[in-house]
Amino acid sequence: MKNNILKYLFSLSILLFVGCTNDLDTEPKVELSLEELLEQDPNAVEGILSRLYASFALSGADGPGSSDISDDPGESPFLRGIVNLQDFTADGMKNRWGDNGLDQLTTTSDWNSENKFFRYMYNRIFFTIPQCNNLLSILENVDVENKEQILAEVRFIRSLAYYYLIDVFGKGVLATQENFGETNPLPEASRQELFDFTEAELLAIQSSLPPTNTYGRATEAAAAMLLSKLYLNAEVYTGTARYNDAATYLNVVIASSHTLADDFVSLFSADNNTSNEIIFPLIADAVVSQSFGNTTYIVNGSLNSETTPLNQFGATEGWAGHRASKGWYGLFGDLSTSSDVRASLFWTEGHEYEMTDYRTWTDGYPSIKFRNTNFSGASLPSSFSSTDFPLFRLADAYLMYAECAVRGASNASMTDALTYVNMVRTRSNADTVGMSDLTLSFLIDERGRELNLEGHRRSDLIRFGMFTGGSYLWPWKGNTLNGTSIPSTYNVFPIPSTALQANPNLTQNLGY
């Protein structure tokens, strides 16, 4: 059977990421079936798979100026959307550029379906999911080496995209290989339906994913981590708590071969690909996978040549955009006396503690957590970043396990939870804590200290009941200096108007 779905150019371009061809500049004008493509290049499936993984970090197959979707290639990449929607909407990070739509994120105010940043995320999700469906439908009729594992990896990638759909929008459509090619608009799928599908997919592929894999590809631990995150947030997503289930799969992650890195800073340096703590990274490379939307966005966006030395952090450009607020560095107390290594990762010189004006670069402290310098050995500054984004890492699993224990999971030990928390803290030279300290209040703060700017904060605050309402305020929440209450409808984002126009079966989230 011939499937004229995948462009040969697309397949050829993606081989860039696995280094299988030298003919990257050719531009054939024809489309080939996968069978025909495999005859010409047996490694094509590996290349296509690499491209699917790269859809979370890159804008397009042809460099930083290309885009897989009809949106700005600089602004719209998936990882950039994760940072914008998870970190800038929360307490720890703010952006000062004043872009149309970005102000509304950084002040958690005036959200509406016309905001381009919601559209970018929605479009990225529904680029990755159909591409996975394309490949899954083709592989049903093609024999390739290691087929079962490849199918499992594609389903993992699709599940990861669905996870973000569940988390940020709470509804959508359920597109699979079974309804691939359907010409009529798909029916709306509820959060529960999307949750059930993603859960079933991850449970189904567990045994088909290997304990170890090529760096940057899914493993058994990566699927267990994603499943744990789904279960940890299940009460938010479905109304039913699943902390026992979360702990079950966190035990799988913890029992894997991953270990904590000796040094916290090494996890966010350009040679972090050597870290055994990282369970699943989104890969960046200053030469072969350039993007304005991978960690280049974090590194360059947090620097300014007037107040921060670019070379010290491996950059040649500073975009003067992102600063932490006291919602993050305030968690450490007095930065000048704290022994916690994580407390030292803010640039304070020339900057004010209080963010009186979020559009003023010197108000608030830039985060220097991510940098484009090697932790071990020399490196040269570059315009783009080579630092991988640790989407999943072991320290997060340890803190998630502790949260499950505190929330009463029967298969999570408080003794083990305390051990794991203190392992995370000791690694950063922070004081150990006792059993009486291990509370939900402590854990949400510790998650901020450890994980801010890694794409988790908004979801964490929602799970702890701290994102909407007025019980917890932070600078510029609700577009006021000291923060104000925001409505509970902000626990999900509005469905973009373009999606509603394209599919009349979709309905808008309440409150928008």
Side-chain angles (χ1 to χ4, degrees), residues 246-277:
T248 294
Y249 287 94
L250 287 167
N251 282 319
V252 173
V253 175
I254 292 168
S256 70
S257 61
H258 293 281
T259 55
L260 285 185
D262 292 334
D263 193 290
F264 183 78
V265 174
S266 68
L267 289 162
F268 310 99
S269 300
D271 53 355
N272 64 351
N273 60 295
T274 63
S275 175
N276 190 45
E277 179 172 337

Side-chain angles (χ1 to χ4, degrees), residues 196-215:
D196 291 344
F197 173 79
T198 306
E199 176 192 16
E201 283 289 286
L202 291 169
L203 290 172
I205 65 175
Q206 277 286 303
S207 61
S208 299
L209 288 171
T212 60
N213 203 347
T214 303
Y215 179 74

Side-chain angles (χ1 to χ4, degrees), residues 43-234:
N43 296 314
V45 169
E46 295 287 329
I48 295 167
L49 188 61
S50 295
R51 182 63 183 92
L52 291 176
Y53 281 114
S55 71
F56 290 100
L58 304 183
S59 59
D62 296 322
S66 68
S67 181
D68 294 322
I69 60 177
S70 57
D71 286 311
D72 184 280
E75 290 184 334
S76 69
F78 210 125
L79 175 51
R80 189 160 174 163
I82 292 172
V83 172
N84 286 344
L85 271 59
Q86 293 282 19
D87 289 298
F88 293 143
T89 60
D91 54 354
M93 291 297 301
K94 300 292 131 189
N95 179 278
R96 61 169 289 273
W97 289 329
D99 293 14
N100 179 34
L102 195 54
D103 264 1
Q104 286 70 39
L105 300 184
T106 210
T107 60
T108 49
S109 65
D110 299 322
W111 291 358
N112 62 69
S113 62
E114 302 303 318
N115 190 307
K116 63 184 178 181
F117 294 99
F118 303 148
R119 184 182 78 241
Y120 294 161
M121 176 60 85
Y122 196 91
N123 287 351
R124 285 290 171 184
I125 290 170
F126 281 105
F127 168 78
T128 296
I129 289 172
Q131 293 302 321
C132 290
N133 291 337
N134 287 357
L135 186 54
L136 289 171
S137 64
I138 291 169
L139 287 177
E140 291 176 355
N141 303 296
V142 176
D143 289 326
V144 295
E145 186 177 356
N146 206 16
K147 181 174 178 176
E148 184 178 359
Q149 180 183 317
I150 290 173
L151 287 169
E153 290 188 60
V154 178
R155 292 168 74 181
F156 169 83
I157 295 167
R158 183 175 64 179
S159 295
L160 183 59
Y162 269 121
Y163 171 78
Y164 285 107
L165 181 66
I166 294 165
D167 187 77
V168 301
F169 293 112
K171 63 168 64 173
V173 297
L174 189 53
T176 70
Q177 68 270 33
E178 280 73 27
N179 58 32
F180 176 71
E182 173 63 50
T183 56
N184 295 319
L186 295 176
E188 180 175 275
S190 68
R191 210 174 204 182
Q192 181 72 62
E193 290 172 317
L194 295 170
F195 181 99
D196 291 344
F197 173 79
T198 306
E199 176 192 16
E201 283 289 286
L202 291 169
L203 290 172
I205 65 175
Q206 277 286 303
S207 61
S208 299
L209 288 171
T212 60
N213 203 347
T214 303
Y215 179 74
R217 289 172 58 172
T219 60
E220 181 183 15
M225 187 71 169
L226 181 54
L227 195 52
S228 299
K229 285 194 169 290
L230 194 69
Y231 287 140
L232 189 69
N233 291 291

Side-chain angles (χ1 to χ4, degrees), residues 289-312:
S289 57
Q290 297 176 346
S291 174
F292 295 108
N294 56 16
T295 53
T296 301
Y297 180 54
I298 301 174
V299 174
N300 292 6
S302 301
L303 300 173
N304 183 339
S305 59
E306 295 180 4
T307 60
T308 48
L310 303 185
N311 283 356
Q312 183 175 333

Side-chain angles (χ1 to χ4, degrees), residues 325-374:
S325 80
K326 64 181 180 183
W328 183 0
Y329 45 76
L331 298 174
F332 295 98
D334 187 344
L335 296 183
S336 65
T337 61
S338 176
S339 63
D340 194 326
V341 169
R342 300 169 300 184
S344 68
L345 301 179
F346 303 97
W347 189 268
T348 60
E349 185 178 346
H351 286 260
E352 300 295 330
Y353 181 90
E354 295 290 344
M355 189 176 283
T356 305
D357 183 351
Y358 70 88
R359 287 190 176 180
T360 299
W361 168 247
T362 53
D363 280 11
Y365 299 153
S367 168
I368 50 175
K369 178 176 179 176
F370 283 85
R371 66 279 311 283
N372 187 37
T373 51
N374 287 337

